[in-house]
Amino acid sequence: MSDIENFDYFKIDIADIWFCERLYFFSKEKDFVFASKLLEKTQSSILKYGKPAFGKEMRTSNESYYEQQYTSYVKNLDTLENQFAIDFFFIQEKCYLYNNPVIIKRNNLDYEFWFTLKLRQYDGKLSDISNFLKFQLKTNFSKNFSKFSIHIKMCIRQYPELLTSRVIETTNEWINNIENAPIKEKRKKTVIAPGKLEKTNKKKIDIKFDKKGPEKTNLKTKNKAVKKSRLAKIKQNIKDKNKVVKKAVLDATKSKKQSTTSNAKKTLTHQPNKKEKSKPSITEFSWIEKNPELKSKQLIFLREQLIDNDYIDKINLIKFEAHFNGKISDSIAINWLKGQFPLIYLIDKLKPFLNELIYTGKNNTISISKFAPHFTWQGNQIHIPNWAKVKATSHKSSGIIYKSIDMIIKNLRDIT
């Protein structure tokens, strides 16, 4: 186990688990019985809860791509290793991706199985087991510790071969610590005896009784006066707030009339009053290497080089690889720190490694729209028209950054 587990991600996600289990399969002694079971349950869950990346309708729009993917899938059905190596599968003329996120909850019949697989990832970081268990206790068991502890013990008993002894020991310690924790005593309520005072932080309550019963007071009159006073304050607050709102509307209207054409152009990048187009969950931006071990080596090298040279912000390896598998379901993008054209140059240079469908620009160069959903530029969303202009007007110079990118690509080609 290495930097492949997403320790800070506590949900039980099929995509997250499949990514780890596939690398475990190729890096350890192969258990074909378990691998076959995992493959069947993964495909079954994605088929039931996920959405296909595309279907037979693509034959009319891009028949060659559909046939190419389907033929590749059929060829890889000969061995279990080949089935684990590819990133997709076909069922009833529909293509499903393994990196399609599917969250498994307690009502799922295989929850114990998936829970155990996620738990065993924490063999690489035992200190986060408690955080994972607390999250599952809260989200799937409504903080019912009794039921949750029974569930954990059942998972350990059912799948002991999937967990290391130290994971089991750490998990049992967590259960024991909670079971043996001292119980906090509840504060006893004080009963006020007739004729006595109960002191509070706010006021004193004086309850008086005589032989005939509670002393009569004009409570109705007092209550009406209090309600009338409160109502007056509420009405005044509403008036004050209305004045503030009206002033804000007038100021906004005045500001809008005085805005220039240049200001209007700026607002094109973000207009909160208009519904923003939602990003697709899967795009054609994907790494084409079929061998999972080689693919992982390449992407690990690329990520390390980009971070070490301050080309991108630090980003979790799983999220980085997810983007190069076309996945953009989460809000974390790869943040490019340098100039605009160097990023375009980098992706054009990555052409031997990326899906050819993203190179639809002039002279088969990268189309900005194909990678824009996966990147931000210095923390801001990429504005496609502006970048297209940069691409058309900028030219590669002999700068150090381009030489550095060329060197990264050269070393990337040498990884085998």
Side-chain angles (χ1 to χ4, degrees):
M1 297 185 185
S2 57
D3 189 22
I4 60 174
E5 296 89 353
N6 197 356
F7 297 122
D8 296 330
Y9 185 58
F10 303 127
K11 292 182 180 180
I12 300 176
D13 188 341
I14 294 290
D16 170 62
I17 293 174
W18 170 259
F19 178 83
C20 289
E21 290 297 332
R22 184 169 69 172
L23 290 179
Y24 295 164
F25 176 75
F26 286 107
S27 61
K28 298 180 178 181
E29 183 178 352
K30 293 179 176 61
D31 182 345
F32 289 99
V33 175
F34 168 73
S36 179
K37 180 180 180 180
L38 174 66
L39 187 68
E40 185 275 326
K41 287 185 178 293
T42 301
Q43 291 184 355
S44 177
S45 296
I46 295 175
L47 184 64
K48 185 175 181 179
Y49 301 107
K51 294 181 180 180
F54 59 83
K56 60 182 179 181
E57 71 279 353
M58 181 172 276
R59 284 182 172 177
T60 57
S61 60
N62 197 337
E63 182 177 1
S64 61
Y65 179 75
Y66 179 95
E67 294 297 336
Q68 178 186 359
Q69 297 299 98
Y70 184 75
T71 302
S72 174
Y73 170 69
V74 172
K75 285 181 178 179
N76 283 287
L77 291 176
D78 55 345
T79 66
L80 197 59
E81 287 97 332
N82 288 342
Q83 291 183 62
F84 264 69
I86 57 178
D87 296 319
F88 58 90
F89 63 94
F90 276 82
I91 290 183
Q92 296 179 347
E93 297 185 301
K94 293 181 179 179
C95 178
Y96 294 84
L97 301 177
Y98 286 115
N99 64 6
N100 189 21
V102 174
I103 306 301
I104 299 298
K105 297 185 178 180
R106 185 186 172 192
N107 57 0
N108 188 288
L109 293 177
D110 291 317
Y111 176 72
E112 290 180 356
F113 175 76
W114 296 113
F115 176 92
T116 307
L117 291 184
K118 178 60 182 177
L119 177 60
R120 83 166 178 163
Q121 291 182 15
Y122 290 97
D123 181 77
K125 194 176 181 184
L126 296 175
S127 60
D128 266 342
I129 286 182
S130 62
N131 293 328
F132 167 67
L133 296 177
K134 287 175 184 177
F135 179 87
Q136 290 297 316
L137 173 62
K138 179 180 178 181
T139 56
N140 278 304
F141 287 84
S142 301
K143 298 184 179 180
N144 188 326
F145 176 74
S146 177
K147 289 184 178 180
F148 186 49
S149 61
I150 293 174
H151 158 76
I152 296 174
K153 293 173 182 177
M154 188 59 66
C155 289
I156 293 174
R157 187 175 294 121
Q158 184 72 43
Y159 303 106
E161 72 282 358
L162 297 181
L163 302 172
T164 62
S165 58
R166 61 183 188 175
V167 168
I168 294 175
E169 183 179 349
T170 305
T171 303
N172 284 330
E173 284 178 355
W174 183 83
I175 295 174
N176 293 334
N177 288 338
I178 294 181
E179 288 179 339
N180 298 324
I183 300 174
K184 294 182 180 179
E185 293 185 4
K186 293 184 178 180
R187 183 175 179 270
K188 295 181 179 180
K189 294 182 179 180
T190 304
V191 179
I192 304 172
K196 291 190 176 181
L197 294 175
E198 166 66 7
K199 293 183 179 180
T200 67
N201 292 330
K202 293 183 179 179
K203 60 184 178 179
K204 294 181 180 180
I205 304 172
D206 191 2
I207 303 177
K208 298 180 180 179
F209 283 87
D210 57 16
K211 295 179 180 179
K212 295 180 180 179
E215 200 174 65
K216 293 182 179 180
T217 59
N218 196 0
L219 293 176
K220 288 185 179 180
T221 305
K222 290 182 179 179
N223 288 339
K224 284 182 180 180
V226 172
K227 287 180 180 179
K228 188 175 181 180
S229 175
R230 288 178 180 173
L231 185 60
K233 288 182 180 179
I234 292 171
K235 287 181 178 180
Q236 186 61 43
N237 286 337
I238 292 173
K239 287 181 180 180
D240 292 341
K241 288 180 180 179
N242 285 338
K243 287 180 181 179
V244 174
V245 172
K246 287 179 181 179
K247 185 178 183 302
V249 172
L250 289 173
D251 291 343
T253 305
K254 187 183 293 183
S255 176
K256 186 176 181 181
K257 289 180 180 179
Q258 294 174 349
S259 62
T260 61
T261 304
S262 61
N263 287 334
K265 288 181 179 179
K266 290 179 182 179
T267 59
L268 288 175
T269 57
H270 183 68
Q271 298 179 5
N273 291 330
K274 293 184 179 180
K275 292 183 178 179
E276 294 181 352
K277 292 182 180 179
S278 60
K279 294 180 180 178
S281 58
I282 299 295
T283 71
E284 295 168 339
F285 188 82
S286 58
W287 204 262
I288 59 175
E289 176 56 48
K290 298 299 181 184
N291 185 316
E293 290 182 278
L294 180 56
K295 179 179 180 180
S296 180
K297 287 181 181 179
Q298 291 171 342
L299 288 175
I300 288 173
F301 172 81
L302 179 61
R303 170 180 168 270
E304 289 176 349
Q305 289 298 310
L306 295 179
I307 292 175
D308 291 345
N309 288 282
D310 294 323
Y311 293 158
I312 64 172
D313 274 335
K314 288 185 178 180
I315 182 173
N316 180 280
L317 176 61
I318 289 180
K319 290 182 173 59
F320 182 85
E321 292 191 346
H323 280 290
F324 279 92
N325 284 317
K327 177 182 174 184
I328 53 173
S329 60
D330 57 47
S331 59
I332 299 177
I334 302 171
N335 187 32
W336 182 259
L337 302 174
K338 302 296 184 181
Q340 294 168 299
F341 190 75
L343 174 57
I344 299 172
Y345 180 77
L346 168 67
I347 299 180
D348 272 330
K349 285 293 183 178
L350 286 173
K351 191 172 184 177
F353 304 94
L354 293 172
N355 185 353
E356 63 181 4
L357 295 179
I358 68 174
Y359 296 94
T360 58
K362 186 178 180 181
N363 298 325
N364 293 325
T365 56
I366 182 67
S367 172
I368 305 298
S369 62
K370 300 296 184 180
F371 74 80
H374 300 277
F375 287 82
T376 53
W377 177 53
Q378 297 178 356
N380 298 312
Q381 185 177 355
I382 290 178
H383 190 218
I384 295 173
N386 289 346
W387 279 64
K389 184 178 179 181
V390 169
K391 177 185 174 184
T393 57
S394 298
H395 299 284
K396 170 185 162 312
S397 66
S398 59
I400 295 176
I401 186 171
Y402 299 100
K403 292 181 180 178
S404 173
I405 291 174
D406 290 340
M407 184 62 68
I408 291 174
I409 302 302
K410 179 180 180 301
N411 292 332
L412 196 59
R413 289 174 180 270
D414 294 336
I415 295 177
T416 57

